[in-house]
């Protein structure tokens, strides 16, 4: 397949290398291309060279895999739509919810697929990517045209397993959002590893966060109980105990976080359902206050 990756960061580069290794024609669309090709080395494998920002390749794309951060989706994608064929399948792979809804109207002619992944990657330098944790990826339709793209799960599964298709991607996204709401803001504000949240002093704040999230999820029609969600959160805390969350890293390096699409999304949904979520609202306000303080420094 002809595949263009929009956002060759950690996750985009991981998929770019695996898709190219699997025999697909993969090109990259970078924010600021200085050269017409870009080399990426996955772990200690042979470096691979990719064409970059080639209009013809973009026009001929069967799939555009969008791996920018949630808050970058709109700015990155809208300028490309004029160049894309409306048969191109748009696959969004980022944390958080609400970013695709922001551009939903502009995407109505395209098949749109949403993805959530627990694969982990990092870029130690511009031309290197490390696969730091194996995980699972779920794909599912965002719109009616997207429902016809089930075959993509098989294509992606041959590339970087395990990949599953789900007709109910919203439930998968909410489950990931719930875990992100519990772990990300707290580890960011405490500047600690995920595993530190298992300490007794965090059990009360986590209980409030998870209780509120489960109430909002119930109103959204997502079947979940507090105890189920609570045990999932603690499983992830244990499984990723040595990791720093992406929001911890973003706050540490004074980069914009994805809070608007994680806790912010939850708070917006809570407001729609007239549910009070003081624990999550307080985390949201504090992260926004810190982000704002960088701009006024
Ligand atoms: N890394 C992981 O292990 C992991 C795991 C699961 C989920 N995720 C999620 O996946 C998403 C991507 O994460 P990431 O870690 O890969 O982030 P990242 O390394 O920051 O990658 C984002 C990439 O998008 C590029 N970009 C931003 N705006 C662009 C534009 N207008 N045009 C072209 N490229 C643009 C960035 O380029 P610049 O450097 O030029 O800004 C960067 O290379 C996030 O939602 C994250 O939460 C990540």
């Amino acid at each position: 397949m002809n595949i263009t990756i929009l956002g060759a960061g950690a996750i985009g580069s991981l998929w770019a290398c695996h898709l190219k290794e699997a025999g697909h024609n993969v090109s990259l669309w970078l924010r600021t291309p200085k050269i017409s090709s870009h080399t990426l080395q996955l772990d200690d494998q042979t470096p691979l060279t990719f064409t970059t920002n080639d209009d013809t390749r973009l026009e001929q794309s069967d799939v555009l895999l969008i791996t920018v951060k949630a808050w970058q989706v709109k700015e990155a994608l809208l300028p490309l739509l004029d160049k894309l064929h409306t048969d191109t399948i748009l696959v969004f792979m980022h944390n958080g919810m609400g970013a695709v809804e922001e551009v939903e109207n502009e995407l109505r002619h395209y098949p749109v697929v949403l993805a959530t992944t627990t694969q982990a990657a990092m870029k130690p330098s511009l031309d290197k990517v490390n696969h730091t944790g194996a995980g699972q990826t779920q794909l599912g339709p965002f719109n009616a045209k997207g429902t016809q793209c089930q075959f993509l799960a098989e294509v992606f599964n041959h590339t970087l397993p395990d990949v599953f298709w789900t007709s109910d991607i919203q439930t998968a996204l909410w489950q990931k959002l719930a875990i992100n709401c519990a772990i990300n803001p707290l580890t960011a504000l405490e500047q600690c590893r995920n595993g530190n949240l298992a300490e007794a002093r965090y059990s009360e704040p986590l209980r409030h966060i998870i209780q509120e999230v489960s109430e909002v999820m119930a109103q959204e029609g997502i079947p979940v109980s507090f105890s189920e969600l609570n045990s999932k959160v603690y499983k992830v805390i244990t499984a990723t105990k040595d990791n720093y969350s992406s929001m911890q890293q973003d706050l540490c390096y004074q980069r914009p976080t994805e809070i608007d699409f994680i806790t912010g999304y939850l708070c917006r949904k809570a407001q729609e359902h007239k549910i009070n979520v003081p624990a999550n609202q307080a985390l949201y306000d504090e992260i926004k206050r810190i982000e704002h303080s960088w701009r006024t420094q």
Side-chain angles (χ1 to χ4, degrees), residues 168-187:
D168 183 12
I169 191 69
Q170 291 299 326
T171 293
L173 292 171
W174 263 105
Q175 281 165 350
K176 182 86 189 285
L177 188 97
I179 288 162
N180 284 334
C181 282
I183 296 178
N184 286 21
L186 214 48
T187 51

Side-chain angles (χ1 to χ4, degrees), residues 6-12 29-32 67-70 72 75-77 93-96 117-123 126 132 176 246 258:
L6 172 58
I11 280 291
W29 196 274
L30 308 177
R31 187 208 299 273
T32 44
T67 50
V68 297
K69 291 193 164 175
Q72 298 168 323
E75 193 187 319
L77 180 64
M93 192 181 285
H94 54 250
N95 272 345
T117 188
T118 54
Q119 297 283 0
M122 62 162 297
K123 275 188 91 171
L126 216 55
T132 50
K176 182 86 189 285
S246 56
E258 292 180 293

